[in-house]
């Protein structure tokens, strides 16, 4: 009997050819290590869907081997699917202090805190499992406390960068641990997975410190109140806003639920430094002059229900935008949000606010590495094999090309797809089959009950509405006892379309009397005829195709 | 009796605080001149709407004074509402050769060609009306044959730039007529309206010629077939693609209905120069080697039904993307289209095509003037008064600020809103009231029959679907004769939710028997109770809020 050669298996269950829903499975012998467990926000054609999570049915079957979920940082696309995962498989969660702090809040909301083992780690910590050891390595990103994860196997090191940028002047003083990465590189990294998000962008991502300098300049210039919108989780950005406020003796208030939640965690865990009287409540702002107030808020993506959108639309209960306000959008629109953000900017301008936004204003920097940083990581780590991750297909392809230009062998990378089983030995990387994978749609409490048919119907309804036809028929003769009645929603404005509806009813009556004459008493046939005749009539009259729903009641 | 002082009235009925639907009314004494008559594509929340056109009810009342519609160029946002306008008000249309050629195709489709007076003009032409004279002035834009329009009134010149850029090396050799603009400026321009689209962008818009150079380089390098996607109406771009193809002895085929239509017009009118055997049909491409073929196609915005999207999704009947194809996206995504475009790029990459896209590749240039060009126009024209047009509110505001920095008086501009009546005398510009205005939604054949309620219902339906409850009751006693039946669409996948539906039916039964016991026979009350009880139950069970439509039939 031949013994199977030892190999590392890497199975991405998300984060491939998409932005979000990051989850990578790494297997060696009896150990399964999971890196991240994120959600994705729905595509435009996923009508009514709240979030999208990875399909983990492959893991359900292997749960006894899973040693834990190892988190790189606390963004939703890396931790957001945890509650759904934990409801199916209970495993320990490892992460740095802030990451675990954010996860705690999330699990508390889902009633999962008591039953979940949370393990706080620090950069340089190592967790020994049965056959492998997991190590955490300090990186920089647009949230504090981010790490790369190195899995030491007898075949070599498997390195996952997580989301990262290289920031030589980060806000907390903690720089990427190049020394450790170089040491691993020297000893030999078997395979590296690296963040491809910004691979299309040449040069370097600017340092977070740049934003601080801009804020100080803008705060010095502002004549009235200052409102800064940014991502709630960007604690370093919030720190810089607080620093700039304190520099000019201004008070800081916070608006927006997610901003309040994350700030509370960050303050409790010691991630924010400020004088003890800097922070005030929104209600307390009334006691100060406008020029002494800074408000930190959510809504930098123009989300319709966010605090900033409500201020812009005069729908915020406590904050009214006035002439002289300076509003700083410390973020760039995520693809798909451009129009929402533009709407908010226009509304704020109309109210007389000075709005500062746009990539050339230095009010925001990216959290992801650009080309020169990706090259630097390749040079330092010198992995034998490479798997580009965290990006759409075009990003992954460009990232592989970049690695090959840096000297990686043409056969030493794979372009992964979700669910691929990537097998790695000392000398070879190859795909070997695939496992069940995909996206699970979450809508309200329903996990996976919204599928293709429901979405197709929602799309149809959204375009042309629905027309319901109800009639009560005699069970035997199919003669009409009551009706037909026609009720429409989302089709036409009924009061102006009475003629159309009357004619539609006549058409249904005709179909019914024809059926009765021809002794057709099969309800399905009658419904089919009603649907066909109405569809043709309505399309001819309106060039629209509402959903037509015939309902027959029998007596 | 005092005689009213002569004044010019300018009333924008579209193109203000929005991109598209451009229509400006200029009145002097008995003459009404209309500049452009465009459509707008629907916002994301206008579910199912095809296009949006301006409300022209103000003009309907004044049609005897309207001397004509004067077109600046042939883009949809400047001519697309013409068929709807002409069905209400029949007036002559003035435009340059290509513009009128495109309008002809459009009016033919709508059966309006025979009844409409189309007048072909050339740059420098003047059209004398009762009290004013309209003059056409050569400009550059991303479509051939664009003009600015100067209306000579006894009070001075009213100048509308139309959409423009300043291109010193345009493809047709025809540069902006600076001499005439300067001459008007020297004599005194009363008021200028100018394109604000690119006012946020510093510097100059690059020349169209740049794209030609890039295409030549890419065509020389390509090993296989070349596919270029661009806007159908950008005749100069198409000319440059043809030039590059001929340089390397390649044949050119065209795919996509709008591309075929506009090319036909352009060739007939002499706007495209090529050797007589360059153009072949898609079917004929089979006879050539891939490296000898260039395909010009629509779909540069990732529109789901476009030729390029169908190629990317392997749904094109005649063109299959193969390894070695080079696909050039000669356009940048319009805000809102980014995700569609990204999807197409990813699909093409997966099929092995080399895809060239992005603003740093010089495969596309804008058709609108940037800051330095806008300053140049202010310097040359030196208008007394200024109205920024064609832009969202923030653009208009920035454009006005730019003009003030150039020396315009602080009181010499207005920030217009749609429907504003802007009155101008020799010494004063001011708003004086407003007229009926707004946006009319076109859905299929319906013009204006989709309003707030229909859109609200479509949105609701798109999020959570609909649940229809039908029951037949006795007219007197309200006792149940048949039903209740529940049918849902777009709510849950019914086969997996039988329990939920059964319980929902039980709840309705309970409501009905309670009503019967309490002798409630008012249908509206019964429906209200059904709706309330079901809504609460479903929200508790699913956290979703489908539309609930109770229907009672009575016997």
């Amino acid at each position: 009997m031949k013994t199977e050669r030892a190999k590392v298996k890497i199975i991405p269950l998300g984060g491939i050819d998409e932005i979000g829903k990051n989850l990578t499975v790494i297997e060696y012998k009896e150990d399964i290590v999971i890196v991240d467990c994120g959600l994705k926000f729905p595509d435009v054609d996923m009508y009514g869907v709240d979030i999208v999570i990875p399909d983990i049915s492959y893991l359900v079957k292997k749960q006894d081997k899973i040693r834990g979920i190892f988190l790189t940082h606390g963004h939703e696309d890396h931790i957001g699917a945890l509650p759904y995962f934990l409801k199916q498989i209970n495993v320990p969660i490892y992460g740095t202090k802030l990451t675990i702090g954010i996860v705690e809040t999330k699990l508390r909301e889902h009633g999962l805190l008591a039953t979940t083992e949370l393990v706080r780690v620090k950069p340089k910590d190592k967790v020994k499992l049965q056959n492998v050891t997991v190590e955490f390595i300090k990186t920089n990103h647009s949230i504090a406390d981010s790490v790369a994860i190195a899995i030491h196997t007898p075949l070599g090191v498997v390195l996952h960068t997580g989301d990262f940028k290289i920031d030589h002047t980060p806000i907390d003083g903690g720089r990427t641990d190049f020394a450790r990465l170089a040491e691993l590189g020297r000893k030999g990294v078997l395979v590296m997975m690296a963040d491809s998000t910004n691979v299309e962008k040449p040069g370097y991502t600017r340092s977070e410190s740049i934003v601080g300098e801009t804020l100080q300049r803008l705060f010095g210039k502002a004549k009235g109140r200052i409102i800064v919108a940014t991502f709630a989780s960007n604690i370093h950005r919030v720190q810089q806003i607080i620093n700039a406020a304190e520099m000019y003796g201004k008070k800081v208030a916070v608006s927006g639920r997610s901003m309040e939640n994350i700030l509370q965690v960050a303050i409790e865990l010691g991630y924010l430094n400020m004088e003890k009287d800097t922070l005030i409540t929104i209600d307390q702002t009334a006691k100060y002059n406008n020029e002494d107030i800074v408000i930190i808020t959510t809504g930098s993506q123009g989300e319709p229900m966010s605090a900033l959108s409500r201020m812009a639309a005069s729908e915020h209960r406590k904050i009214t935008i006035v002439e002289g306000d300076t509003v700083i959008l410390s973020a760039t629109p995520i693809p798909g949000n451009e129009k929402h953000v533009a709407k908010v900017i226009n509304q704020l301008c109309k109210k007389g606010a000075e709005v500062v936004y746009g990539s050339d204003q230095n009010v925001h920097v990216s959290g992801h590495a650009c080309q020169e940083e990706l090259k630097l990581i390749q040079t330092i780590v010198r992995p034998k094999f490479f798997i580009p991750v965290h990006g759409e297909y075009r990003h992954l392809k460009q990232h592989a090309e970049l690695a090959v230009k840096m000297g990686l062998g043409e056969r030493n990378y794979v372009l992964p797809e979700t669910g691929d089983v990537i097998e790695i030995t000392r000398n070879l990387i190859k795909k070997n089959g695939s496992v069940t994978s995909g996206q699970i749609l979450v809508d309200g409490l329903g996990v996976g009950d919204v599928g293709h048919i429901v979405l197709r119907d929602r799309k149809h309804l959204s375009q042309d509405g629905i027309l319901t036809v109800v009639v009560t028929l005699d069970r035997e003769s199919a003669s009409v006892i009551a009706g037909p009645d026609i009720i429409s929603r989302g089709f036409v404005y009924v009061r102006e379309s009475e003629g159309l509806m009357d004619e539609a009813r006549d058409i249904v009556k005709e179909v019914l009397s024809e059926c009765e004459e021809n002794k057709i008493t099969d309800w399905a046939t009658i419904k089919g005829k009603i649907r066909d005749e109405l569809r043709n009539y309505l399309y001819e009259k309106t060039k629209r195709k509402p959903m037509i729903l015939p309902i027959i009641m029998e007596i």
Side-chain angles (χ1 to χ4, degrees), chain A:
Chain A
M1 206 175 91
K2 267 165 66 177
T3 49
E4 203 190 8
R5 288 266 295 277
K7 54 191 149 198
V8 170
K9 282 188 198 173
I10 296 179
I11 306 170
L13 292 181
I16 303 297
D17 197 15
E18 63 186 344
I19 303 292
K21 177 169 153 297
N22 297 293
L23 193 162
T24 311
V25 178
I26 295 125
E27 299 189 37
Y28 180 79
K29 289 192 171 162
E30 292 305 298
D31 288 339
I32 290 183
V33 167
I34 295 170
V35 174
D36 290 332
C37 185
L39 62 74
K40 185 170 80 163
F41 294 102
D43 293 339
V44 278
D45 55 352
M46 295 180 182
Y47 293 87
V49 170
D50 299 324
I51 61 167
V52 181
I53 57 174
D55 183 334
I56 57 164
S57 35
Y58 169 71
L59 292 170
V60 172
K61 288 177 288 184
K62 298 217 163 188
Q63 41 185 310
D64 53 314
K65 288 188 173 182
I66 302 173
R67 304 294 167 237
I69 299 174
F70 298 78
L71 300 173
T72 59
H73 63 284
H75 278 155
E76 285 293 343
D77 52 338
H78 293 258
I79 67 164
L82 279 175
Y84 304 94
F85 188 108
L86 293 169
K87 275 171 198 165
Q88 289 190 72
I89 312 173
N90 191 356
V91 295
I93 315 284
Y94 296 82
T96 50
K97 194 161 75 167
L98 182 65
T99 307
I100 293 294
I102 295 170
V103 167
E104 273 179 342
T105 311
K106 183 175 285 292
L107 297 187
R108 193 174 295 119
E109 279 173 15
H110 282 83
L112 288 163
L113 194 54
T115 54
T116 307
E117 184 187 348
L118 295 175
V119 186
R120 267 191 195 75
V121 297
K122 291 190 299 295
K124 293 187 190 294
D125 277 2
K126 290 178 184 172
V127 178
K128 223 191 129 14
L129 309 174
Q130 214 160 314
N131 298 292
V132 306
T133 300
V134 180
E135 177 184 359
F136 300 86
I137 301 168
K138 169 83 184 162
T139 61
N140 298 120
H141 186 42
S142 48
I143 183 170
D145 247 11
S146 64
V147 287
I149 287 173
I151 300 153
H152 298 266
T153 79
L155 290 184
V157 172
V158 176
L159 179 69
H160 195 307
T161 65
D163 288 357
F164 80 102
K165 69 189 279 190
I166 292 174
D167 195 336
H168 296 293
T169 52
I171 303 314
D172 60 0
R175 291 177 214 164
T176 302
D177 189 350
F178 288 114
R180 183 55 182 156
L181 290 172
E183 198 180 348
L184 292 178
R186 209 168 46 240
K187 289 184 185 164
V189 168
L190 181 68
V191 58
M192 177 167 78
M193 286 166 270
D195 175 9
S196 312
T197 312
N198 268 356
V199 69
E200 290 183 328
K201 300 203 176 122
Y204 279 89
T205 295
R206 289 164 300 165
S207 170
E208 180 65 29
S209 310
I210 300 273
V211 179
E213 293 166 20
T214 310
L215 292 175
Q216 288 170 22
R217 187 172 48 77
L218 293 172
F219 280 32
K221 222 177 60 175
K223 298 271 182 290
R225 185 171 52 177
I226 297 165
I227 297 169
V228 190
T230 191
F231 295 108
S233 61
N234 197 335
I235 302 300
H236 290 153
R237 188 71 47 86
V238 173
Q239 179 70 63
Q240 297 200 92
I241 298 167
I242 291 170
N243 293 350
E246 290 185 341
M247 177 176 281
Y248 296 100
K250 295 175 192 286
K251 301 293 174 190
V252 176
V254 172
S255 175
R257 199 176 63 96
S258 61
M259 188 64 84
E260 290 165 29
N261 286 348
I262 293 211
L263 245 68
Q264 198 186 335
V265 173
I267 290 171
E268 277 171 16
L269 297 178
Y271 279 81
L272 280 175
N273 301 311
M274 64 184 95
E275 290 161 27
K276 66 174 190 303
D277 59 349
T278 296
L279 211 58
I280 60 173
T281 65
I282 290 289
D283 288 328
Q284 288 169 331
T285 60
K287 291 190 285 187
Y288 295 83
N289 293 326
N290 271 351
E291 61 264 34
D292 296 327
I293 296 294
V294 174
I295 294 171
I296 307 178
T297 181
T298 53
S300 63
Q301 294 300 313
E303 307 92 322
M305 299 305 292
S306 67
L308 188 66
S309 290
R310 282 184 280 127
M311 292 176 208
S314 304
E315 288 167 3
H316 196 288
R317 279 193 308 126
K318 297 186 173 175
I319 303 167
T320 307
I321 299 290
V322 294
E323 185 118 18
D325 283 346
T326 299
V327 181
I328 302 169
L329 292 184
S330 183
T332 40
I334 293 167
N337 293 346
E338 292 84 353
K339 282 192 154 189
H340 291 297
V341 174
K343 183 179 170 188
V344 169
I345 294 171
N346 286 319
Q347 287 175 322
L348 292 168
C349 282
K350 273 185 219 171
K351 292 190 157 42
E354 188 74 28
V355 188
V356 186
Y357 61 94
S359 54
D360 49 348
Q361 298 293 324
N362 284 332
V363 287
H364 177 66
V365 296
S366 169
H368 298 275
C370 290
Q371 286 170 7
E372 294 307 313
E373 292 154 276
L374 297 174
K375 289 180 193 169
L376 185 56
I377 287 294
Q378 293 281 347
T379 302
I380 290 175
V381 176
R382 293 182 304 175
K384 177 148 195 180
F385 300 114
F386 178 56
I387 306 172
V389 295
H390 297 2
E392 299 173 21
Y393 187 86
R394 58 192 169 138
H395 300 127
L396 305 180
K397 184 162 170 257
Q398 279 187 46
H399 202 175
E401 287 166 2
L402 177 145
V404 169
K405 271 192 199 153
M406 301 287 302
L408 185 83
E410 285 276 6
R411 299 172 158 223
N412 286 24
Y413 72 87
V414 296
L415 286 186
E417 289 182 54
T418 305
D420 274 347
V421 178
I422 301 165
E423 288 186 354
I424 304 161
T425 61
R426 282 188 206 280
N427 305 309
L428 193 70
I429 185 168
K430 65 165 188 187
K431 294 187 182 185
N432 189 4
S434 65
V435 305
T436 303
S437 68
Q439 47 192 18
I440 307 288
L441 309 186
V442 179
D443 180 5
L445 295 181
V447 178
D449 67 339
V450 167
H452 173 68
I453 293 173
V454 172
L455 288 183
R456 189 199 58 192
D457 284 351
R458 285 184 186 173
K459 182 178 180 183
H460 188 172
L461 291 166
S462 78
Q463 294 301 302
D464 286 324
I466 188 168
L467 204 93
T468 306
V469 183
V470 197
V471 62
T472 307
L473 298 182
D474 181 86
R475 189 176 286 117
E476 305 298 325
S477 66
S479 65
V480 176
I481 295 175
D485 285 358
I486 295 184
I487 297 107
S488 84
R489 287 290 184 274
F491 171 50
V492 288
Y493 188 49
V494 177
R495 215 180 297 173
E496 288 178 2
S497 310
E498 278 177 12
L500 186 77
M501 290 312 208
D502 287 344
E503 280 191 54
R505 201 171 296 111
D506 290 343
I507 285 169
V508 176
K509 281 181 190 164
E510 231 167 87
V511 171
L512 291 169
S513 66
E514 256 178 53
C515 285
E516 195 186 349
E517 274 170 37
N518 297 322
K519 303 205 185 308
I520 296 172
T521 55
D522 169 41
W523 292 168
T525 308
I526 298 175
K527 282 185 196 174
K529 280 180 189 289
I530 291 174
R531 204 181 279 121
D532 291 347
E533 291 292 326
L534 269 186
R535 187 195 292 123
N536 293 341
Y537 168 74
L538 294 173
Y539 187 71
E540 192 200 313
K541 286 289 181 184
T542 66
K543 289 276 181 291
R544 298 181 201 168
K545 295 176 174 177
M547 185 182 280
I548 297 172
L549 192 63
I551 304 172
I552 295 175
M553 313 221 67
E554 52 173 36
I555 301 184

